[in-house]
Structures are given as C-alpha cells and as structure tokens.
Amino acid sequence: SYELTQPPSVSVSPGQTARITCSGDKLGDKYACWYQQRPGQSPILVIYQDNKRPSGIPERFSGSNSGNTATLTISGTQATDEADYYCQAWDSYTGVFGTGTRVTVL
Amino acid sequence: QVQLVQSGAEVKKPGASVKVSCKASGYTFTAYYMHWVRQAPGQGLEWMGWIHPNSGGTNYPQKFQGRVTMTRDTSINTAYMELSRLRSDDTAVYYCARSLTVAGGDPFDYWGQGTLVTVSS
C-alpha cells in the first residue's frame, strides 16, 4: 500500500520559516494537500492541490510538490501555528495520510 | 454554511459493535463523498473508507474489510459508520469528512467534530 512519510517534529522560532516535508513514491505525480490539527480539535484544510489555499487560510501557508516530496512552508511562523500537520494524497481511490509532524514554535 | 454533526461518545465492550452517525447540512448531501477517518490516542490520522451518498457505493481499505460498514439515509442527510468485533485498539476519535471526488486533488474540506469511541471491558 502507498505510504507517506513525514518528520515527527519541526521546531521554529517565531517569525521564522518552518518547512515540513512529506515523502512518497512519485508523490509529485499526484496532488498533495495538508491539514492542521490543534490539540483536541478536528483537522482543518490549509493547502490543497499542492499549493492552493482555502478561503480564510493566511498567506503565510504555502505548498509545493515535485519528485517524491511535497513541502508545506509556513513563513513568518506565529505561536498560533503550533499544531500537528498531516499531508494527504489519493492513491487508486484510496485516501492516504502522512505520519504527521508536530510543529513547535519556540 | 456546511456542517457535519456527529453523534455522541460511546463506550463499548470488546467484541461488540458501534454505529456512529454524521448529519450533513448546508450543501447537497448526495453530491459529495463521505469519508470516515479515525485517530487513536496520541496517534495520527487513519482513513477508513468512503461512501457516495447518491449511489451507496463504498470503498474500504483491506485493513477494515469485513469489519466496517458505511451506509447513508438520504432522507435525513445522514451517513453512518458501523464497526464490528471491536477490540481495545479500536479506541479512537472517529471523524466524518467530505470530499467532492476521490481522485485528483480534491481534499477533505469539511470535517465533523469527532466521536470518541472507547472499547473497554
């Protein structure tokens, strides 16, 4: 079955840039999306179709996808961005989530 | 506005079944796939399958085949997920989420609030 791998954790200082990677076989041939999940809350969509932001998501969230790696970039990271982030893709009509990355804003 | 409202928390014994509901509002229920995703305590998200409310068609990953059943009642815009032969490692928060398609770049754009299912003797 298809697998997506993320680093368990990323630390970033306020105002700096956080980059979260998501690796999967030929992931660049698929679309990737990203979800943010704060403790005790449902996930919310922050990036879809590799690099599109839903309405209401700040411009500091951006995405890219090429080769075997998709990347979520948070520019000018704020304390409110501290959360778990999951990538997701479709493989043969099956949903696949990444392993998840905890972003800590130090 | 789009809303997915799930049923309340459940406590079940090992071997029992649980049925969780997800009531949709604010959009055409039959136009979107409904998915179920679970999250065990301290763990990541796990996709459990989908149902298309219009046709009733379903797709479950091999891990859950034979144990999960997804149904819907279009008269009340509600989707259901039933998991049988519960084990302690089925203890998790169960979410419903919708998507327009199950291919291409369509994401889970709206999620329910989650339902905690606890399996304990």
Side-chain angles (χ1 to χ4, degrees):
Chain A
S1 61
Y2 194 74
E3 295 182 353
L4 295 173
T5 302
Q6 301 177 230
S9 63
V10 167
S11 297
V12 61
S13 300
Q16 298 305 300
T17 297
R19 292 182 179 85
I20 306 163
T21 58
C22 173
S23 299
D25 185 49
K26 297 180 182 177
L27 179 57
D29 292 345
K30 309 176 189 296
Y31 279 117
C33 54
W34 292 89
Y35 303 89
Q36 177 194 70
Q37 187 181 33
R38 296 189 175 103
Q41 296 186 16
S42 301
I44 61 170
L45 178 68
V46 294
I47 292 289
Y48 67 102
Q49 291 181 6
D50 295 339
N51 54 22
K52 295 181 171 62
R53 277 180 293 105
S55 172
I57 299 302
E59 290 184 9
R60 64 180 180 272
F61 288 90
S62 63
S64 62
N65 185 16
S66 179
N68 295 321
T69 303
T71 302
L72 174 69
T73 301
I74 312 173
S75 304
T77 306
Q78 300 183 3
T80 55
D81 300 329
E82 188 161 281
D84 294 329
Y85 291 83
Y86 295 90
C87 59
Q88 183 256 320
W90 293 105
D91 179 66
S92 300
Y93 311 110
T94 295
V96 182
F97 285 101
T99 49
T101 299
R102 175 152 297 177
V103 171
T104 301
V105 182
L106 299 171
Chain B
Q1 71 285 20
V2 174
Q3 284 192 306
L4 301 176
V5 179
Q6 299 182 222
S7 49
E10 304 260 13
V11 179
K12 296 292 182 180
K13 293 192 183 304
S17 296
V18 68
K19 191 171 186 178
V20 180
S21 68
C22 173
K23 183 170 177 61
S25 62
Y27 71 98
T28 302
F29 178 62
T30 52
Y32 285 75
Y33 288 81
M34 191 67 80
H35 305 260
W36 292 88
V37 177
R38 76 177 185 179
Q39 186 171 38
Q43 302 301 308
L45 302 173
E46 181 176 31
W47 180 78
M48 298 181 68
W50 55 252
I51 181 168
H52 198 286
N54 190 40
S55 64
T58 56
N59 181 29
Y60 312 133
Q62 190 166 7
K63 175 176 180 175
F64 294 106
Q65 286 181 9
R67 256 194 348 128
V68 71
T69 304
M70 296 180 188
T71 57
R72 89 293 189 212
D73 184 338
T74 56
S75 69
I76 55 171
N77 291 350
T78 300
Y80 303 92
M81 186 283 300
E82 184 170 19
L83 189 62
S84 63
R85 304 194 300 277
L86 290 168
R87 308 184 294 253
S88 58
D89 62 357
D90 291 317
T91 294
V93 176
Y94 289 77
Y95 296 99
C96 59
R98 73 166 200 177
S99 73
L100 185 60
T101 72
V102 290
D106 286 318
F108 305 117
D109 59 354
Y110 284 90
W111 295 66
Q113 83 275 21
T115 297
L116 175 62
V117 175
T118 303
V119 182
S120 173
S121 55

